Amino acid sequence: MSTTNKFTMAASKGLIMYPLFGTVLFILFPIPFTLFQGPQHIMLYIISGGLAALFGWISLYFRFYKVIVDGRSIRVQKGLLKKFSLNVEDIDKVDWIISITKFGKNENITVRAGSRKFKVETLMEGSDKMIAYLKDNVDEGKIHTKIRDFAN
């Protein structure tokens, strides 16, 4: 078991850009209608504002989601307000779902420690280090692997 690992896993910058684009799109959406046809029905502005707020929240959540590993300590920040830390020994269960499609392989890992949990996706920066860390430091009896083959 390796205890000298120190790395950070976070959402990739490309993943953050998609909801940010949605935010900008729904902010700009009612402007041409208002400029060329005058004031519109109030629901256009309410729905556009609500969707812009939703996409903005998702973008901030992705921006601040990170997992920091320092030796046997794991610190998790989910969004702006939810932070917790745990040790490798605290991990109760690791659900490891491997999906194989015609586009490639994607691994979705859910790490549970009591009532706390966090996710690891292969799309995240540093996920390869986290996958190797979990394989090295978590007891194999706690890792439950499920393979889904959609390629056929």
Side-chain angles (χ1 to χ4, degrees):
M1 292 198 183
S2 175
T3 59
T4 59
N5 291 327
K6 186 171 185 174
F7 60 90
T8 301
M9 184 193 69
S12 67
K13 302 301 180 207
L15 187 63
I16 295 169
M17 295 308 289
Y18 289 113
L20 193 60
F21 173 75
T23 303
V24 172
L25 177 73
F26 283 109
I27 288 172
L28 298 177
F29 178 70
I31 292 175
F33 293 104
T34 304
L35 290 177
F36 295 115
Q37 296 177 350
Q40 299 295 308
H41 194 277
I42 191 70
M43 287 308 293
L44 173 70
Y45 304 111
I46 292 172
I47 291 172
S48 293
L51 289 171
L54 174 69
F55 279 99
W57 181 84
I58 292 170
S59 181
L60 283 174
Y61 182 81
F62 285 162
R63 171 69 178 95
F64 289 105
Y65 187 94
K66 66 176 67 171
V67 179
I68 301 167
V69 176
D70 188 9
R72 301 193 64 75
S73 173
I74 302 172
R75 288 179 294 159
V76 180
Q77 180 176 353
K78 296 170 78 174
L80 289 170
L81 303 174
K82 192 170 182 180
K83 299 177 185 179
F84 60 89
S85 62
L86 56 113
N87 289 328
V88 177
E89 295 82 18
D90 297 338
I91 295 175
D92 299 327
K93 184 179 178 185
V94 177
D95 293 325
W96 204 305
I97 300 172
I98 301 170
S99 300
I100 302 169
T101 65
K102 62 182 178 180
F103 300 111
K105 183 174 90 168
N106 186 27
E107 297 181 38
N108 181 354
I109 304 161
T110 303
V111 179
R112 301 174 194 275
S115 64
R116 301 167 298 184
K117 69 178 181 178
F118 66 93
K119 293 190 175 273
V120 178
E121 297 268 351
T122 50
L123 300 172
M124 296 178 171
E125 294 175 358
S127 65
D128 51 345
K129 293 178 184 175
M130 188 67 182
I131 289 170
Y133 179 81
L134 289 172
K135 285 180 180 176
D136 291 343
N137 294 298
V138 176
D139 182 32
E140 289 193 24
K142 296 179 180 180
I143 298 175
H144 304 280
T145 305
K146 185 176 183 181
I147 299 174
R148 297 178 179 167
D149 190 0
F150 298 109
N152 298 326

